Amino acid sequence: MKPELSLWWKSSWSVRLRLPFALLASSLAVGCGQPAPESSEPPAPSAPVANSSAMATVPSGNQEVALADSEEEAPARPVVESLFAIPKDVTSKTTATVFELKLEEKREQNEQFRGKTLTMLDGTQQLLFRDDGEGGDAVAGDLLFTASGTFDFVALQAEQDRITKVQAQSQAQLTTDVFEGRELVRTVPVVALSKQFPTGQRVPIRPIGLATLVDPARSLIIRAPSVVKDPTRTWDPCTNTGNPNGKWTFNYLMTEMANQPFTGVAPSTFVREWLRQWETAKTVNSFTTPPRTSIVTKLINPWPKVAGELDLTKSPFTLVAVVNRLDLAGNNPAYGSGRAGEGRFIFAATEGTGTSCHTVPFLVILEYGVDKNDCVSIKTYAQQWQALSSMTLGSASYNAALEALTEQFARRDLSPRKPNRSSINQVRTNENWLQTSPWELRESRLWNASVSPASFAAPGPVLGLLNSHTVAQTPDRATKASLFPAYVNANVPPIVAVPPTYTVPLAWGSGAFRGGRAIVTSTSASPPFWSQPPATIPNRQARHVFSLNTCDGCHGDELGTPFTHVNQTGALSPFLSGALVVPDRADGAPTRTFNEVLARQTFLDQVANQSCLTLPFLSTSAAVH
């Protein structure tokens, strides 16, 4: 372990943000999430050409193999117990301050940081926290880190005013919620601090999110017909009404993703080549993904054409939801995505015409990284999302404000470092329309030559196009009896760490491991698919965490909920509908409480309203859903 680590996890090869610590050991990153980390910050790629000669080959020499290798080298993260600011002068916006950062003694993962230094970025200020007995640190190796810098006590006073005002409007005691991994573990009362901060007084910097100030229907998972059927911004393929070029249409979003001025790839070609991947078997990481050839008769043939090409203005996909995934903020060891989490569009395919036209269980999720690279930008972005909670859902002003947000990740050329210069991280599908059983999840990504092609379908990815890719955090089911238990047993510490720091690798031990698809044959199997008896996997928490973080576990029998968390009509599963109490699916105990939406509400309010110095308490996790 290097002697100096960053609380925002900067390294010599990347300036991307990382939110490293747990909210009192909490992790809020839940949702079919972010892509695997690239091992370098590549320059803007040259314009690719999408043709058969662009097939990639396995890299050699110094070319990257980052997707296979760096995923297994994710740094562990400290777990913060407390942070205090001690003013050295009269409080102001830039008060000279001593900071005390305490790591939790009981967390084994903190031992590697004992006696070391940590750096934290607070806006433009870099704070060096020391536990080496030097530079103002009293005792070396006691996990109490000391730093000197400045702090905005005026903003802290304003935050106490906000808490006081909200409390006055509520008959119930204000609280904030604490999560470990994806589990709700406790609720903590919130009381405003005194606004007087005398010189030398230890003032707690606390992570507080007031979930009641975030309306999930307006700021997190937006499904209202007045939004997803807005005739100015969406197109309804069943009624042939709306704006076929609107900013929330499948046509517009895929056109921007293809970015023809840069790639030379026509949007219709871009979409057709993506859909072609269901027509024949694909070999991804040596595992075969069988074809689902009915895509031709069910989707492609009925799709209106112009000169033989798909007419994207009449795409048979209708918008189901717009989703804010700010809670995936920053990079984590499993994924390197948007610096301010992800923004998502969920579409459902349609079939039939006229009054018989309806949505079907073929969902396409466009998952974009949001490239905000400093705390101030992220905070402003969070404030814009929270502001939607006070607006009339579906009103002209609301929809305009939402479009202003989605255009911050959906437009072309927003991410010059990424393939096609698009902010897209991945496109995921889940469906049982093309084939009744099993439910199947797939993942597609863009590629450029700075990233190893090893986790794409053979014979290799094509530049400029969406290519079949392994599914994050999910082994192929053929590995259940052999590699799965061996991997879990060998990686218990990073799996049970808070937050988890493991990433399912392409290969493990004697063979390929991560799968090219995830399937769900049952949502109620007991024990769940990703289970082995205690004699085979002794650490049952590790078994549970690993299973829950797989695509098929989260959408299947580890939660015991319906397969889709947002279905083709926009209905939510119990996982996204409030508290979900689930006895361990393999062992019957312990009983765990999940409340995914509450976690996202808490996160959004905190990021939008609190000091950047509360961010070390937050983290993303290895979860992919």
Side-chain angles (χ1 to χ4, degrees), residues 445-574:
R445 298 191 195 176
L446 300 172
W447 176 77
N448 66 33
S450 67
V451 179
S452 166
S455 51
F456 290 90
V462 179
L463 289 166
L465 297 180
L466 285 168
N467 300 273
S468 295
H469 190 272
T470 53
V471 283
Q473 295 297 77
T474 307
D476 187 89
R477 288 194 161 206
T479 68
K480 177 183 178 179
S482 55
L483 300 183
F484 158 59
Y487 177 82
V488 173
N489 290 336
N491 290 276
V492 168
I495 292 173
V496 301
V498 181
T501 57
Y502 76 100
T503 296
V504 172
L506 282 176
W508 174 256
S510 59
F513 192 36
R514 198 186 324 144
R517 65 170 181 159
I519 61 173
V520 176
T521 56
S522 171
T523 58
S524 58
S526 184
F529 181 85
W530 292 112
S531 181
Q532 293 283 10
T536 305
I537 302 181
N539 191 304
R540 308 309 284 166
Q541 177 67 7
R543 181 220 66 81
H544 162 74
V545 171
F546 185 93
S547 177
L548 186 58
N549 287 342
T550 62
C551 291
D552 43 354
C554 181
H555 280 273
D557 43 23
E558 192 61 39
L559 285 174
T561 68
F563 173 76
T564 54
H565 293 315
V566 181
N567 74 9
Q568 69 268 24
T569 67
L572 302 180
S573 77

Side-chain angles (χ1 to χ4, degrees), residues 48-59 63-64 67 273 277 282-285 419-420 443-470:
V49 178
N51 56 42
S52 59
S53 65
M55 288 294 184
T57 57
V58 176
Q63 190 173 358
E64 298 189 59
L67 284 172
E273 292 305 311
Q277 295 174 73
K282 292 291 180 182
T283 300
V284 185
N285 196 27
N420 291 24
E443 180 174 320
S444 302
R445 298 191 195 176
L446 300 172
W447 176 77
N448 66 33
S450 67
V451 179
S452 166
S455 51
F456 290 90
V462 179
L463 289 166
L465 297 180
L466 285 168
N467 300 273
S468 295
H469 190 272
T470 53

Side-chain angles (χ1 to χ4, degrees), residues 100-316:
E100 293 181 351
L101 176 74
K102 178 67 175 177
L103 302 188
E104 287 193 30
E105 291 273 359
K106 65 180 181 180
R107 302 286 181 176
E108 182 180 347
Q109 67 198 76
N110 281 338
E111 286 303 313
Q112 62 192 286
F113 305 106
R114 193 181 293 274
K116 306 294 177 56
T117 62
L118 302 166
T119 57
M120 179 189 298
L121 295 177
D122 176 26
T124 59
Q125 176 183 213
Q126 178 169 287
L127 299 173
L128 177 64
F129 283 85
R130 312 186 72 110
D131 187 34
D132 57 4
E134 300 181 11
D137 181 59
V139 180
D142 61 355
L143 292 182
L144 179 61
F145 293 73
T146 306
S148 295
T150 62
F151 184 67
D152 186 350
F153 281 95
V154 174
L156 184 62
Q157 290 169 334
E159 173 62 10
Q160 307 320 303
D161 286 337
R162 185 177 83 105
I163 293 172
T164 300
K165 180 179 178 180
V166 175
Q167 181 63 81
Q169 296 171 346
S170 174
Q171 294 182 347
Q173 170 67 52
L174 288 185
T175 60
T176 193
D177 298 281
V178 180
F179 295 79
E180 284 204 11
R182 307 169 75 169
E183 182 181 357
L184 175 62
V185 294
R186 62 187 175 273
T187 298
V188 180
V190 173
V191 178
L193 301 172
S194 166
K195 294 199 307 178
Q196 302 302 315
F197 304 123
T199 300
Q201 175 180 297
R202 298 169 76 245
V203 180
I205 309 301
R206 307 171 298 169
I208 295 171
L210 302 179
T212 57
L213 301 185
V214 175
D215 180 1
R218 287 182 280 185
S219 293
L220 294 175
I221 307 173
I222 303 157
R223 302 167 294 129
S226 54
V227 177
V228 300
K229 294 188 180 299
D230 177 352
T232 301
R233 297 173 174 86
T234 71
W235 168 257
D236 188 336
C238 286
T239 61
N240 289 319
T241 58
N243 178 1
N245 300 302
K247 294 296 180 67
W248 299 336
T249 61
F250 192 79
N251 170 36
Y252 172 79
L253 296 169
M254 297 305 271
T255 297
E256 296 297 286
M257 196 187 305
N259 198 357
Q260 185 173 6
F262 175 69
T263 66
V265 179
S268 58
T269 300
F270 183 81
V271 173
R272 183 64 184 92
E273 292 305 311
W274 169 62
L275 295 174
R276 202 180 302 280
Q277 295 174 73
W278 276 266
E279 296 180 37
T280 59
K282 292 291 180 182
T283 300
V284 185
N285 196 27
S286 82
F287 299 111
T288 299
T289 298
R292 294 196 167 195
T293 56
S294 66
I295 195 169
V296 175
T297 56
K298 288 190 168 188
L299 186 68
I300 296 169
N301 287 349
W303 195 314
K305 314 289 193 304
V306 174
E309 301 293 332
L310 299 178
D311 183 356
L312 297 190
T313 67
K314 293 181 171 60
S315 299

